[in-house]
Amino acid sequence: MHHAALHCSCLLGFCSCFLLLTLCFLCLFLQCDHYRRGIISGSSCKALCDQKTLSLHHCMSTSSTHQVYVGLWNERPVVIKCSIEDPVNIDGAPETLMRPEMILFDKPTRGTSMDEFKEMLHSFLKANLGEQTSLSALMDRVITLADVNQDSKVSLAEAKSIWALLHINEFLLMVALQEKEHTPKLLGFCGDLYVTERVSHSSLYKLEVPHYLQTIIPEALSSSLNHWLAPSWPRRARITIGLLEFVEEVFHGSYGTFLICDASLYHVGYNAKYDCKMANLRSVVSEAVVRVFLKGRRCENNLDCTYGKDCTATCDRLVKQCNTEVVQPNLAKVCVLLQDFLLFGAPSDLRGDLEKQLRTCVTLSGLASQMEVHHSLVLNNLKTLLWKKISNTQYS
């Protein structure tokens, strides 16, 4: 079997490589079985199941339900993402709108007309992105993507596949942001398995200490090693400019505002040219979804008003309900990361200004009264400071 070259390349703790290899073959078996039975379709199905030109190699995750693999498609390095069952919500946050309880590939049902399917799509996109004037354009993009054989029709198998995929938050984000520079390109799919371009460096730091070793390995040691292994400062500045541009792209974009609900150095990557690429978009969520989650939610303190890891609103303790505005905006979260990633090794003539601007940035509020002009000013000042330092050099 062409896929037999797959092997585990990550520290898994108590979770065995054998289990993940078994799940990998299960993932392939289920997708190809559904494909051959005509239940699903996709632009990658022939390559995966018939031609065997799409192959899975290295395991990149420890999740038993949301698996990430490095592989090859016609000898091109790619990333393959596969769900064995309904994906686990980010850090336990209920994705009540994004992933309803459903039997995979059960919708749409046989006999659904094209007009009815379009209405399904429009209602879903409106519920998950909010009321946007551009939803019709996005719906057309989704239908074009679903029409794998390009016959200007959407078969039942094509409709079932795209419907299942849209319930995966990262896939929806990739479709909505596909023209953006800092989002990995979506290359294909088969059922609810999807293929993206490979980001050569999948995190800002090379060394990630597993949770079960964090009590043994001092944080100062892992931090020092990461600083030593990191790119030179001008290259880190270039990556940072790209990350700040991504923050701009997801704030009041064509399809609304998106919130970063798990800001981590290990979700941000970069390519061989040191252009920023978001390697993991699973925790980037539509503001509309977060607001629905928070609205009317009972609470005792602010922690009860948290979506994902760090999209936190305040708790109104008088009525014991969550407010719907997230307190810390994307830019402030990113600047917290940059205090570690950008300050060490910074040029001495720049360090003072850089520290000052990052301090201002991390204190930004997510409340609507501060969001527009103040945020744009802070972001542009930071980008300008970095760009002036590396412009007209090999790093620009």
Side-chain angles (χ1 to χ4, degrees):
M1 185 176 178
H2 187 60
H3 302 290
L6 179 86
H7 66 277
C8 272
S9 60
C10 45
L11 289 170
L12 301 181
F14 301 110
C15 187
S16 69
C17 278
F18 177 77
L19 173 61
L20 287 183
L21 294 183
T22 303
L23 290 170
C24 164
F25 289 118
L26 178 60
C27 169
L28 292 175
F29 172 79
L30 289 175
Q31 301 298 337
C32 291
D33 178 62
H34 283 136
Y35 167 62
R36 291 181 181 120
R37 288 163 57 198
I39 297 171
I40 64 170
S41 182
S43 54
S44 306
C45 289
K46 281 187 180 179
L48 183 73
C49 304
D50 295 339
Q51 301 165 344
K52 303 294 193 291
T53 53
L54 173 58
S55 56
L56 284 65
H57 290 251
H58 300 279
C59 151
M60 297 294 287
S61 70
T62 59
S63 169
S64 60
T65 54
H66 185 83
Q67 297 165 38
V68 182
Y69 301 94
V70 171
L72 292 174
W73 192 355
N74 292 325
E75 303 307 313
R76 174 185 179 178
V78 294
V79 172
I80 302 108
K81 302 191 177 187
C82 179
S83 300
I84 293 295
E85 56 188 46
D86 286 359
V88 172
N89 302 323
I90 46 172
D91 285 340
E95 291 186 15
T96 50
L97 290 176
M98 294 303 303
R99 197 74 172 179
E101 296 206 358
M102 55 183 277
I103 302 169
L104 208 54
F105 309 126
D106 70 332
K107 290 181 181 179
T109 56
R110 188 172 298 279
T112 302
S113 70
M114 192 61 199
D115 285 342
E116 288 170 333
F117 183 53
K118 285 183 177 181
E119 182 58 36
M120 283 174 63
L121 285 176
H122 188 271
S123 297
F124 175 83
L125 294 173
K126 181 180 175 181
N128 287 282
L129 300 177
E131 185 67 76
Q132 310 293 336
T133 56
S134 52
L135 283 188
S136 294
L138 182 58
M139 190 171 69
D140 290 342
R141 181 183 295 180
V142 169
I143 290 171
T144 300
L145 190 63
D147 183 16
V148 175
N149 59 7
Q150 298 180 332
D151 63 353
S152 301
K153 301 174 185 177
V154 177
S155 69
L156 185 61
E158 289 170 338
K160 283 179 181 288
S161 299
I162 204 69
W163 183 253
L165 282 164
L166 287 173
H167 286 80
I168 300 173
N169 180 60
E170 182 174 61
F171 183 88
L172 177 59
L173 263 287
M174 284 188 166
V175 175
L177 302 174
Q178 70 172 17
E179 77 282 359
K180 302 300 183 184
E181 181 183 352
H182 306 295
T183 304
K185 299 302 176 199
L186 179 66
L187 302 178
F189 61 92
C190 181
D192 68 339
L193 172 151
Y194 55 106
V195 185
T196 73
E197 69 171 309
R198 185 182 178 187
V199 179
S200 53
H201 301 274
S202 59
S203 70
L204 292 183
Y205 282 154
K206 294 182 183 295
L207 177 65
E208 181 176 11
V209 179
H211 291 296
Y212 58 88
L213 291 178
Q214 287 177 359
T215 55
I216 303 170
I217 300 176
E219 186 179 347
L221 175 60
S222 60
S223 179
S224 296
L225 284 170
N226 273 320
H227 287 182
W228 183 65
L229 294 167
S232 63
W233 187 87
R235 284 173 170 156
R236 280 182 279 130
R238 180 182 172 89
I239 295 165
T240 296
I241 291 170
L243 179 55
L244 294 172
E245 287 172 350
F246 175 77
V247 172
E248 286 181 298
E249 288 169 358
V250 298
F251 182 66
H252 285 348
S254 301
Y255 306 111
T257 293
F258 296 91
L259 303 176
I260 301 171
C261 290
D262 183 4
S264 169
L265 291 161
Y266 300 102
H267 292 168
V268 184
Y270 56 95
N271 62 18
K273 296 180 180 179
Y274 299 92
D275 297 319
C276 174
K277 292 279 185 179
M278 297 300 294
N280 186 339
L281 288 167
R282 290 186 76 207
S283 60
V284 180
V285 184
S286 163
E287 183 181 48
V289 167
V290 177
R291 284 183 177 272
V292 169
F293 171 77
L294 292 170
K295 188 175 181 180
R297 188 173 181 83
R298 297 285 294 170
C299 63
E300 297 293 334
N301 54 52
N302 291 355
L303 285 178
D304 295 331
C305 303
T306 302
Y307 184 99
K309 186 178 179 182
D310 53 22
C311 278
T312 302
T314 55
C315 174
D316 186 332
R317 296 188 181 183
L318 287 176
V319 295
K320 294 188 181 299
Q321 283 192 355
C322 296
N323 293 311
T324 58
E325 282 190 298
V326 171
V327 173
Q328 190 181 32
N330 292 337
L331 183 56
K333 294 177 186 178
V334 164
C335 285
V336 171
L337 303 182
L338 293 178
Q339 283 183 316
D340 184 66
F341 181 70
L342 197 57
L343 283 178
F344 76 90
S348 56
D349 61 332
L350 185 76
R351 187 179 175 92
D353 283 343
L354 194 53
E355 283 183 327
K356 182 179 177 181
Q357 290 203 23
L358 287 175
R359 277 199 305 271
T360 300
C361 182
V362 299
T363 60
L364 287 172
S365 164
L367 301 180
S369 57
Q370 278 199 24
M371 285 296 278
E372 302 288 348
V373 177
H374 192 193
H375 283 219
S376 296
L377 186 63
V378 171
L379 191 147
N380 287 326
N381 284 346
L382 192 51
K383 277 175 59 180
T384 301
L385 183 68
L386 296 172
W387 187 249
K388 283 173 68 175
K389 192 65 180 176
I390 66 169
S391 62
N392 301 318
T393 71
Q394 60 178 317
Y395 303 106
S396 62

